[in-house]
């Protein structure tokens, strides 16, 4: 086990997940996972339920200069695709995109690749890609890192998808920066358990 992984929040294994909180890229920086730890996190991310063993997903890892290269590419695409933005609007969007890609030391793009001809429904293939994102968030939380599941305009723009290296038919399921929060964000209101969870009461014995 890598020395870098520490069990956070004491011995109860559920406690870190009870406190999991996404971190805005603005508050993310180093350290991030070392090579061995990153490999473990990504291996765990891919250990998801996958009906029909279709593996309808893949991961693109951005580190070091790769993050800046993709940020430059997306900046060009945004500028080209939004000629009518005023300067302030453009700067704001570009800054958000650059932060998303360069603030944390590691960024993982989770790509959904649905096979419409496969014998399992497209919906289930998409859900499996969502599970990859959530597994990665859970794993990085348990390993003591911080992160956030993002998408943003680039995930929904043809130019953006090309700049990220996606092939035809592939979609971005998530862009997940991984690092360490410089400060913990205040929690947000969480779902009301009783409004969201019902226990079926059997009427017949
Ligand atoms: C598919 C998906 C895409 C998301 N994309 C963005 C995004 O582009 N920008 C953003 O601020 N939050 C985005 N979010 C929301 C954050 O991941 C996160 O849920 C939110 O900041 C609340 O934080 P929490 O994880 O602590 O509840 C997205 C969530 C999902 C599930």
């Amino acid at each position: 086990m890598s020395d870098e992984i520490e069990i956070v929040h004491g011995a109860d294994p559920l406690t870190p997940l009870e406190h999991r909180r996404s971190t805005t890229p603005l508050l993310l920086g180093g350290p991030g996972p070392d090579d061995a730890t990153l490999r473990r996190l990504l291996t765990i991310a891919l250990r998801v339920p996958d009906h029909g063993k279709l593996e309808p997903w893949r991961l693109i890892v951005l580190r070091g200069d790769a993050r800046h290269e993709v940020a430059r590419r997306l900046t060009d695409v945004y500028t080209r695709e939004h000629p009518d933005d005023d300067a302030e609007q453009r700067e704001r969007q570009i800054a958000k995109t650059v932060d998303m890609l360069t603030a944390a030391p590691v960024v993982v793009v989770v790509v959904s690749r649905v096979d419409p001809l496969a014998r399992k429904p497209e919906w289930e293939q998409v859900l499996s890609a969502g599970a990859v994102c959530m597994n990665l968030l859970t794993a990085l939380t348990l390993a003591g890192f911080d992160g956030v599941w993002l998408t943003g305009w680039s995930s929904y723009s043809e130019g953006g998808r090309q700049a990220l290296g996606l092939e035809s038919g592939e979609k971005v399921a998530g862009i997940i920066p991984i690092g360490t929060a410089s400060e913990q964000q205040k929690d947000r209101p969480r779902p009301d358990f009783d409004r969201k969870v019902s226990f079926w009461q059997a009427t017949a014995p």
Side-chain angles (χ1 to χ4, degrees):
M1 178 158 171
S2 163
D3 292 343
E4 205 173 318
I5 297 184
E6 49 163 334
I7 304 295
V8 285
H9 297 298
D12 182 341
L14 293 181
T15 307
L17 300 181
E18 286 170 328
H19 294 275
R20 187 199 61 76
R21 174 76 175 106
S22 292
T23 304
T24 169
L26 287 174
L27 295 177
L28 276 179
D34 61 18
D35 288 358
T37 306
L38 179 61
R39 195 178 173 90
R40 289 182 75 195
L41 296 179
L42 300 180
T43 304
I44 292 167
L46 295 179
R47 197 180 177 92
V48 284
D50 169 14
H51 200 178
K53 301 188 222 24
L54 299 172
E55 302 184 6
W57 21 251
R58 68 184 179 99
L59 305 178
I60 303 170
V61 180
L62 308 175
R63 289 186 297 188
D65 288 345
R67 297 167 308 148
H68 295 282
E69 183 171 286
V70 174
R72 278 196 300 276
R73 281 184 177 210
L74 287 183
T75 299
D76 291 346
V77 172
Y78 188 88
T79 308
R80 204 169 55 237
E81 287 187 352
H82 298 84
D84 299 330
D85 269 14
D86 61 48
E88 194 191 320
Q89 231 174 347
R90 184 177 306 129
E91 263 172 43
R92 197 173 50 240
Q93 280 301 338
I94 288 175
K96 256 178 99 167
T97 305
V98 170
D99 287 339
M100 171 175 81
L101 292 168
T102 63
V106 178
V107 180
V108 179
V109 183
V110 179
V111 179
S112 158
R113 34 189 302 132
V114 163
D115 177 355
L117 302 176
R119 45 198 200 290
K120 301 298 175 209
E122 289 188 31
W123 168 239
E124 296 190 4
Q125 298 179 51
V126 174
L127 287 173
S128 186
V132 171
C133 295
M134 196 59 226
N135 247 20
L136 180 56
L137 269 190
T138 300
L140 69 88
T141 301
L142 291 175
F145 294 104
D146 300 289
V148 57
W149 179 350
L150 302 171
T151 45
W153 66 269
S154 59
S155 303
Y156 300 100
S157 123
E158 193 44 44
R161 281 195 294 267
Q162 276 174 19
L164 286 165
L166 267 59
E167 292 161 17
S168 141
E170 293 186 328
K171 288 185 179 166
V172 174
I175 299 176
I176 304 184
I178 305 173
T180 301
S182 55
E183 61 183 89
Q184 285 301 324
Q185 279 181 264
K186 233 173 66 170
D187 204 4
R188 66 180 179 89
R190 295 295 166 176
D192 182 88
F193 185 91
D194 294 323
R195 276 167 47 91
K196 288 291 163 191
V197 182
S198 58
F199 292 84
W200 187 287
Q201 304 294 335
T203 50

